[in-house]
Amino acid sequence: MLGISSTAALFDPSTRGLAHFTSALRYPVFINGENYNGQVPMLRSPLLRTMIDTLLAEESRHLQNAIWQPLGDKPAAALAHLVERGLINPSQIAPALPHPSGANAERIAYFLGRKAASDLSAKTRADRIDALRSQLQAFYTRHAKNERA
């Protein structure tokens, strides 16, 4: 869809403009001296919600044709909030990938095909990850067809 050979090319200076990396919360957030890890839902905290409603909303205004790829449920919730405000078209938001943290290492390994379903722990649901993979493939196939049309 982007005319590149691999996702690694997104980080190459020659492909500048193909990807814009951001965070739902632009600045570091600490709660009681600890790194924010979602212990307070972003949209329930007046301060965090304001960051989404101002900073992330402003970015969305500059990225009208962007495809948004959330990394985890929390960024997906922030994007859904901007959809509700009419700032992002819901068809531009891909299904959320597992957040790339150490806590999701097993899910990511399975998603990438580095771990077999038979080797997963009981807490990792292969069926959900398989469904997500199918949803992502359908999403990006649909967008690639729209790009060619």
Side-chain angles (χ1 to χ4, degrees), residues 80-97:
H81 174 70
L82 295 183
V83 165
E84 290 172 10
R85 292 189 52 211
L87 297 173
I88 298 176
N89 182 325
S91 69
Q92 293 174 254
I93 302 175
L97 287 166

Side-chain angles (χ1 to χ4, degrees), residues 31-127:
I31 296 183
N32 297 324
E34 297 292 320
N35 190 32
Y36 175 76
N37 65 8
Q39 62 270 53
V40 176
M42 287 185 261
L43 297 172
R44 289 193 194 153
S45 163
L47 175 64
L48 301 181
R49 184 180 181 130
T50 297
M51 289 176 76
I52 294 165
D53 285 338
T54 56
L55 302 171
L56 188 60
E58 182 62 25
E59 276 186 87
S60 74
R61 287 183 190 95
H62 293 282
L63 301 166
Q64 292 291 313
N65 298 316
I67 292 176
W68 295 82
Q69 179 59 72
L71 299 179
D73 295 337
K74 290 165 182 56
L79 293 173
H81 174 70
L82 295 183
V83 165
E84 290 172 10
R85 292 189 52 211
L87 297 173
I88 298 176
N89 182 325
S91 69
Q92 293 174 254
I93 302 175
L97 287 166
H99 188 276
S101 70
N104 283 327
E106 185 174 61
R107 288 179 196 92
I108 293 166
Y110 178 71
F111 182 85
L112 295 174
R114 295 179 181 154
K115 190 168 191 174
S118 59
D119 295 333
L120 296 175
S121 66
K123 66 180 179 174
T124 299
R125 299 272 314 267
D127 59 330

